[in-house]
Amino acid sequence: MHAMVWAVVAAVLILLELTTTTLVFVMLGIGAAAGAIAAGAGAGIVAQFAAFGVVSVATLVFARPTAMRRLHGGPEHRQGTEALISREALVVAKVDGHDGRVRISGEIWSARSFDGQTEYEVGDRVNVAQIDGATALVL
């Protein structure tokens, strides 16, 4: 095949990707571009299709999963009480297995020790392990 045919196929596949956003057609388009390069270098039809196949499969197997994670993965944004987990808190009233108070991000929360036995004194720094209703369970 002629290099221009491969280039047109590559362009059509890449443009088709704009309608799907699955990153499949763009990977095939990259394979078609490899076929165009092979054709431009004077390779035979078998080598052109081999370049198309190998590059297409390689990009689908190796590049696409990484690209999909980067495109759709994004950082995890915790909200509400979930955002308080793992935060450091300052004990403002003695914390034991039953009661206490801590300051988390400037707010006073009721608290109790996570294991139900450990006691923390005023001024201790603790970490929020879990939120149970309106009570912070701390370590």
Side-chain angles (χ1 to χ4, degrees), residues 14-31:
I14 291 170
L15 288 173
L16 190 57
E17 179 63 40
L18 296 175
T19 65
T20 65
T21 65
T22 60
L23 299 182
V24 171
F25 289 113
V26 74
M27 299 302 163
L28 296 175
I30 293 169

Side-chain angles (χ1 to χ4, degrees), residues 70-132:
R70 293 199 64 155
L71 186 64
H72 299 296
E76 180 182 330
H77 294 289
R78 298 186 297 176
Q79 298 178 347
T81 58
E82 189 72 24
L84 299 175
I85 295 174
S86 298
R87 282 267 177 97
E88 185 178 84
L90 177 66
V91 176
V92 295
K94 183 178 177 179
V95 174
D96 57 26
H98 304 289
D99 193 28
R101 299 283 180 272
V102 295
R103 181 182 314 274
I104 309 169
S105 300
E107 297 179 338
I108 303 295
W109 280 73
S110 62
R112 63 178 192 265
S113 62
F114 183 74
D115 63 8
Q117 297 174 1
T118 307
E119 294 183 358
Y120 302 98
E121 298 298 325
V122 174
D124 287 349
R125 299 227 175 247
V126 294
N127 289 312
V128 179
Q130 185 178 339
I131 301 292
D132 181 21

